[in-house]
Amino acid sequence: MSDLHVYLIAPNSLKFKQPLGLFIDNEWRPSSKGAGILTINPANEEEICTVHAADTKDVDMAVEAARRAFNGKWRALDTSVRGELLYKLASLVEQHADVLATIDAWDNGTRLFHSARFLSPSNLHSDYSFVTGKTFHAARDEVLGAITLLRYYAGWSDKIHGKVIDPNPDKLAYVMREPIGVCGAIIPWNFPLVNMVIKVAPALAAGNTLVVKVAEQTPLSALYFANLVKEAGIPAGVVNVLNGTGREVGSAIAAHADIDMITFTGSTPTGKQIMKSAASTLKRVTLETGGKSPMMVFPDADIEQAVRWGHRGIMSNQGQVCSATSRIFVHADIYETFVNQFKTEVEKISKVGDPFHSDTFQGPQVTRDQFDRVLSYMETGKREGARLVCGGKAYKNVGGKGFYVAPTVFADVTDSMTIVQDEVFGPFVVIAPFRDEAEAIERANSTVFGLGASIFTKDISRALKVSKRIQSGTIWINSSNDDDVRVPFGGYKQSGFGREMGEEGIEAFTITKSIHVNLNARL
Ligand code: NAI
Ligand code: MG
């Protein structure tokens, strides 16, 4: 490993300069042990490039830079200026949107068709073009999401206040809301850009500095973003970006004595591991982990809409979405109709193919590991005796290469089946009938997870009543994965704790300090 940059030409002919190094103190540095991580295109299994891999020495260097920045320039900045820097960064991401979208379509196989979750009001619900499909521009939805997050939290920078408490004439107290310090952000591969920005934007708005560890499967867009951080004028050391494995770099960050907080998105088992490592120094931890989010379709629902939202809710982004509605419960009276219409929807919409092709809905799974994992759950489903409605196998494209799976629907499942309890993280959904509201609620709640839940009914009091009884951080009534940057998002149960987006997203990166002023009382 020697080069710190390389010129790449993407499958859509876009040429750009890709950073390969470790981004520490606003400089590109080589890996101190000279190691590299190969990143490949999941659509054809070909190598894209090799990035430098950090080790614990590089982690120490990044943490020192982040600590210096926290105690120095970043702390000293006027909060409005902090906001202006984030606005500037948002504009740079906007200017480079084509490159960023190209990188993730290439490195990750992203095909995003409906990510209202992150979009601004002007974009919200405006894009139903997933029905006909469009070019890789659909993958730009994620870049739009990153821009929305940066602008939303830029606006928060100078609006973070404490409070005054006035208990009696002898005493005044006030509470300050301060940044936590140096934050370690550990990022997964399913939304390489947005899952990083959803942490970086509020952390910076609140005055923290960061050491970011990107997912080893998808390092490229975060490195490109790091250049924009520097170009925006954000001081050295405020954002540091490291490539590396979870085992080596992720765990070193989680255990590091000079990191004050860990913000993590990824699997539930890794979340548990991180909590253990963070316990050694009692770091603050927020975890956004796995899910097996239910969708309940009551007999009075608009079935066509339930099918459409249900399909997008599980099949978008190749099913690699933490809050994907991966379990669908349908009232027995409309069950067979729903299953048939869902199958038709999959056949009509879920076109599998190259992420850069204009009629593609579903690209490849991100890695061979994930491809194997999804295939193994297909076999488990068959063995467990669920009814295979469609899919259930790898998808063979023309060249025979790439991590493609057929979109898969299993019906008539029971709650004890593995495929009903485990997060599969693929275009893989299970459907079961229910008889009454109580049964729907009980079954919706019967996993270890609690991230999202969708309720389809025209009866608003039923929808609200059921919402109260579902153990989940988010409920969507008559939609699925319809999230919004202004509304907090996060888990119940083993889906994690802490909230991202909205005002709660800022609170997560602040700590209160209480100051007591004695006005009169004498001892
Ligand atoms: P993972 O949770 O192991 O990886 C996520 C991040 O954590 C990566 O940056 C990884 O390098 C890091 N990491 C791994 N082990 C670590 C450790 N001991 N200490 C600190 N950091 C560590 O997820 P993985 O293995 O890539 O995917 C496995 C499954 O996890 C998926 O099939 C899916 O079910 C789930 N997952 C859920 C996500 C979500 O959005 N909630 C995102 C990615 C995966
Ligand atoms: Mg792992």
Side-chain angles (χ1 to χ4, degrees), residues 187 189-190 213 216 246 250 264 266-267 270 289 322 370 373 423:
I187 315 294
W189 42 262
N190 59 335
K213 191 201 87 67
E216 54 269 46
F264 168 76
S267 67
T270 299
T289 54
C322 50
Q370 289 299 311
R373 175 189 171 108
E423 178 177 58

Side-chain angles (χ1 to χ4, degrees), residues 131-153:
V131 177
T132 51
K134 53 180 181 178
T135 64
F136 93 104
H137 288 294
R140 286 184 46 157
D141 277 4
E142 190 182 342
V143 183
L144 288 179
I147 296 164
T148 304
L149 283 159
L150 285 165
R151 295 214 165 109
Y152 175 77
Y153 282 115

Side-chain angles (χ1 to χ4, degrees), residues 56-125:
T56 50
K57 237 166 73 196
D58 302 307
V59 173
D60 288 342
M61 232 199 301
V63 174
E64 280 164 28
R67 178 60 62 192
R68 267 197 311 275
F70 181 71
N71 290 336
K73 275 208 172 128
W74 194 236
R75 207 69 211 268
L77 221 55
D78 185 281
T79 57
S80 295
V81 176
R82 221 151 68 196
E84 275 163 28
L85 291 171
L86 284 172
Y87 280 120
K88 179 88 194 293
L89 179 57
S91 297
L92 285 168
V93 171
E94 198 164 44
Q95 279 166 36
H96 291 258
D98 275 349
V99 179
L100 287 162
T102 297
I103 291 174
D104 277 336
W106 193 11
D107 195 18
N108 170 280
T110 302
R111 279 294 293 171
L112 260 188
F113 291 83
H114 176 66
S115 59
R117 168 174 179 180
F118 301 112
L119 301 187
S120 61
S122 56
N123 298 314
L124 205 61
H125 297 303

